Amino acid sequence: MAEEPKIELFIKASDDGESIGNCPFSQRLFMILWLKKVNFTINTVDMKRNPDVLRDIAPGSQLPFLIYNGELKTDNNKIEEFLEDVLCPPKYPKLDVRNKESRNAGDNIFQKFSAYIKNPRLDRNDALEKVFLKALLKLDEYLNTALPDEDSTRRSSRLFLDGNDLTLADCNLLPKLHIVQVVCRHYRNFTIPNQLVGLCRYLKNAEKCEEYVNTCPNEEEIKLAYKHVVKILV
């Protein structure tokens, strides 16, 4: 029987120096490893109090990064591809999507969100909010559209982007949506409309998954991280 790989994931620490920090890329890899059902060690790195801690481990690298059997892996996309390749069936579950469209669903939401919250002009707020809402609506439409293996005459009722199981696409999108929800609600008094039934269903289903819930930074950490990012409307 092959030996279990030794895996260490290094992610950004929160403001307290120990908890999970606000970093969707860190959460993405954290979720992937959890879903792979493999043993791994998580290390939160406090870059504020100890900025030189990575000098000997991964000089010149940025968080997050991975050490797999002593080998350093530093690019998020390459780490994802590597883990999907080496942690494969039958021992580990396959996490890649079956439908390539699922991989890009919601890929422009974070960009529209950033433009919305970084705008300081009150006279432009409504227009930017509409653009942001349009991106959310596009994701909602995708989640409501039947996949090839579903009944095309009915609205989809699937749990996640690519079916009823979390995939790499969800690991990429959900951490960003969590930030979007917290920041918009706190700083712009904006919540995702209930009329977006597909998107609301998706988020509620994600909240039932330990792989997502237990890898999320707490809301106060996100608010603090965006305190000086969000512009006051004048």
Side-chain angles (χ1 to χ4, degrees), residues 32 44 58 125 163 171 212 228 234:
I32 290 170
T44 53
N125 184 64
C171 295
Y212 168 64
H228 300 295
V234 290

Side-chain angles (χ1 to χ4, degrees), residues 144-181:
N144 284 327
T145 301
L147 295 174
D149 61 350
E150 293 182 296
D151 183 351
S152 62
T153 65
R154 303 180 64 183
R155 184 166 68 182
S156 177
S157 60
R158 67 186 186 274
L159 302 181
F160 306 113
L161 286 174
D162 200 54
N164 291 328
D165 296 304
L166 289 168
T167 63
L168 296 177
D170 300 294
C171 295
N172 183 35
L173 183 60
L174 283 171
K176 296 173 183 175
L177 290 179
H178 180 54
I179 293 171
V180 165
Q181 285 181 285

Side-chain angles (χ1 to χ4, degrees), residues 14-229:
S14 67
D15 194 60
D16 66 16
E18 296 179 359
S19 307
I20 300 169
N22 173 63
C23 175
F25 308 108
S26 293
Q27 188 181 0
R28 171 187 178 186
L29 297 180
F30 199 169
M31 285 182 67
I32 290 170
L33 287 170
W34 198 315
L35 286 165
K36 283 292 184 181
K37 304 185 188 306
V38 64
N39 292 324
F40 65 97
T41 302
I42 192 81
N43 300 283
T44 53
V45 181
D46 184 358
M47 296 303 292
K48 287 184 180 178
R49 296 175 178 83
N50 195 359
D52 298 326
V53 69
L54 302 182
R55 186 175 295 167
D56 296 329
I57 306 172
S61 299
Q62 292 186 337
L63 296 168
F65 62 83
L66 187 85
I67 296 180
Y68 187 96
N69 286 339
E71 185 178 350
L72 177 66
K73 305 288 182 182
T74 59
D75 180 271
N76 292 316
N77 291 330
K78 289 181 180 178
I79 291 173
E80 180 184 281
E81 292 171 7
F82 173 78
L83 292 174
E84 186 69 355
D85 184 47
V86 297
L87 302 177
C88 59
K91 189 171 183 180
Y92 305 103
K94 178 180 180 292
L95 298 181
D96 200 6
V97 297
R98 293 168 299 157
N99 305 282
K100 63 180 182 180
E101 293 82 8
S102 298
R103 192 174 291 119
N104 299 319
D107 61 356
N108 68 335
I109 287 175
F110 209 69
Q111 178 191 8
K112 305 305 181 185
F113 153 76
S114 295
Y116 173 51
I117 63 163
K118 291 178 181 178
N119 165 54
R121 291 176 50 183
L122 184 59
D123 62 335
R124 294 193 62 212
N125 184 64
D126 286 351
L128 288 168
E129 185 175 294
K130 286 178 182 176
V131 172
F132 169 51
L133 191 56
K134 187 176 179 181
L136 294 175
L137 179 60
K138 185 178 178 183
L139 174 60
D140 179 71
E141 289 172 348
Y142 182 74
L143 289 162
N144 284 327
T145 301
L147 295 174
D149 61 350
E150 293 182 296
D151 183 351
S152 62
T153 65
R154 303 180 64 183
R155 184 166 68 182
S156 177
S157 60
R158 67 186 186 274
L159 302 181
F160 306 113
L161 286 174
D162 200 54
N164 291 328
D165 296 304
L166 289 168
T167 63
L168 296 177
D170 300 294
C171 295
N172 183 35
L173 183 60
L174 283 171
K176 296 173 183 175
L177 290 179
H178 180 54
I179 293 171
V180 165
Q181 285 181 285
V182 173
V183 173
C184 286
R185 182 171 59 245
H186 183 70
Y187 289 106
R188 286 289 187 263
N189 195 30
F190 174 93
T191 56
I192 294 174
N194 291 330
Q195 291 90 333
L196 302 186
V197 292
L199 180 51
C200 289
R201 181 187 72 241
Y202 176 53
L203 293 170
K204 285 178 182 177
N205 288 327
E207 288 168 3
K208 299 174 185 175
C209 300
E210 62 177 5
E211 301 92 346
Y212 168 64
V213 175
N214 293 334
T215 58
C216 283
N218 67 60
E219 291 194 6
E220 293 307 313
E221 176 68 18
I222 296 173
K223 293 173 189 176
L224 183 63
Y226 275 82
K227 184 178 181 180
H228 300 295
V229 176

